[in-house]
Amino acid sequence: MNGKISVIIADDHLVFREGLKDMLSYHPEIVLKAEASNGKELLLRAKQYAPEVIITDVKMPYMDGIETTKKLCRMYPGARIIALSSFSEDHLIIDMLEAGAQGFLLKGIREEELITAIKAVYEYKPYFSPDITEKLTRIIAGRYHHKKGPQHVTLTEIEKQIIVLICRELTSKEIAERLEIGKRTIESYRMRIMDKLGAKSVASVITYALKAGLIQRTA
């Protein structure tokens, strides 16, 4: 990691925002650019400061985290967004990931986990709180059926292999070495996969893979 990671936080509770700010203040490699109290304000702050990582509450007034995340991903392709919530309902997790979030944390997180999550999504790697990972594991087991269901797309065998390796958080270089294919070819496949799935982030690819039964992930 070179330089500092710029961050914006959004939550409608001032006390919680102050707690996040206090956690971040002990880490000089992370700089807090701004804060917001609702979705509309977050969109304005993102436009003003162009942060590298955005941490947003899921349930906020005026515009919730799901709709805000969708707009952010349309406005800034490649936006790195972490969802924060006091709730862990299945539909909130899935909807936020499908909206484009790359991480999901439950409020009450420890400082170390927050910093780990920021650094992970900064490198375009998904990060979930342990409780969220457990729920995703249950989804894999087939005990949850999202109302939208998996997208019906045609994937080649190599695209399926690449999706599995993406879900294991391998880089394009590592995937290329594993499959003995050129890195640029892998990057082309990744772009094609994202396009086929209509995925906005790596987390969206993972969501598809979970619902389609391509991967079996343990907690």
Side-chain angles (χ1 to χ4, degrees):
M1 182 184 70
N2 297 318
K4 297 184 177 182
I5 303 173
S6 59
V7 174
I8 286 181
I9 57 176
D11 193 283
D12 57 324
H13 293 97
L14 176 60
V15 173
F16 186 76
R17 293 203 310 273
E18 291 297 326
L20 288 180
K21 288 162 62 178
D22 185 57
M23 289 184 192
L24 297 178
S25 68
Y26 293 100
H27 300 269
E29 71 274 27
I30 297 171
V31 56
L32 180 63
K33 286 289 187 179
E35 57 185 288
S37 59
N38 58 67
K40 289 185 177 180
E41 190 176 346
L42 174 55
L43 292 177
L44 292 174
R45 296 290 178 266
K47 183 177 181 180
Q48 183 178 2
Y49 293 100
E52 291 165 314
V53 175
I54 295 170
I55 304 172
T56 180
D57 190 9
V58 176
K59 295 187 176 183
M60 294 186 293
Y62 303 112
M63 185 184 297
D64 65 21
I66 296 167
E67 186 60 30
T68 303
T69 296
K70 290 178 182 177
K71 289 181 180 294
L72 285 168
C73 289
R74 285 197 294 267
M75 293 165 59
Y76 311 105
R80 289 161 281 194
I81 301 169
I82 299 173
L84 267 174
S85 182
S86 299
F87 310 94
S88 60
E89 289 98 326
D90 293 344
H91 71 91
L92 291 180
I93 300 168
I94 296 298
D95 287 348
M96 277 300 292
L97 295 183
E98 290 187 334
Q102 289 195 270
F104 201 112
L105 301 174
L106 293 177
K107 291 185 177 181
I109 54 170
R110 299 186 305 275
E111 181 180 322
E112 313 87 76
E113 185 178 8
L114 175 64
I115 301 306
T116 298
I118 290 173
K119 291 180 177 179
V121 300
Y122 173 74
E123 296 178 353
Y124 294 101
K125 296 179 180 179
Y127 188 92
F128 309 118
S129 288
D131 287 349
I132 303 302
T133 300
E134 183 177 345
K135 282 181 173 286
L136 291 175
T137 302
R138 178 166 54 78
I139 293 171
I140 299 169
R143 293 194 294 270
Y144 173 82
H145 301 282
H146 187 52
K147 60 183 178 181
K148 294 182 181 179
Q151 292 172 281
H152 296 288
V153 296
T154 302
L155 296 169
T156 65
E157 285 306 311
I158 191 167
E159 286 172 342
K160 291 178 181 178
Q161 290 179 49
I162 291 171
I163 286 176
V164 171
L165 295 175
I166 288 173
C167 292
R168 292 177 183 171
E169 303 182 5
L170 271 66
T171 65
S172 292
K173 181 181 178 182
E174 290 168 336
I175 295 173
E177 292 173 351
R178 180 75 62 89
L179 299 181
E180 298 182 347
I181 299 175
K183 180 183 174 184
R184 288 189 178 182
T185 301
I186 294 298
E187 289 174 347
S188 295
Y189 270 117
R190 289 181 74 128
M191 291 177 64
R192 191 181 310 160
I193 289 167
M194 299 283 279
D195 185 59
K196 278 187 176 184
L197 302 183
K200 302 178 182 68
S201 68
V202 172
S204 297
V205 175
I206 292 174
T207 301
Y208 172 84
L210 289 168
K211 293 193 292 183
L214 293 180
I215 58 173
Q216 292 188 350
R217 183 172 176 173
T218 57

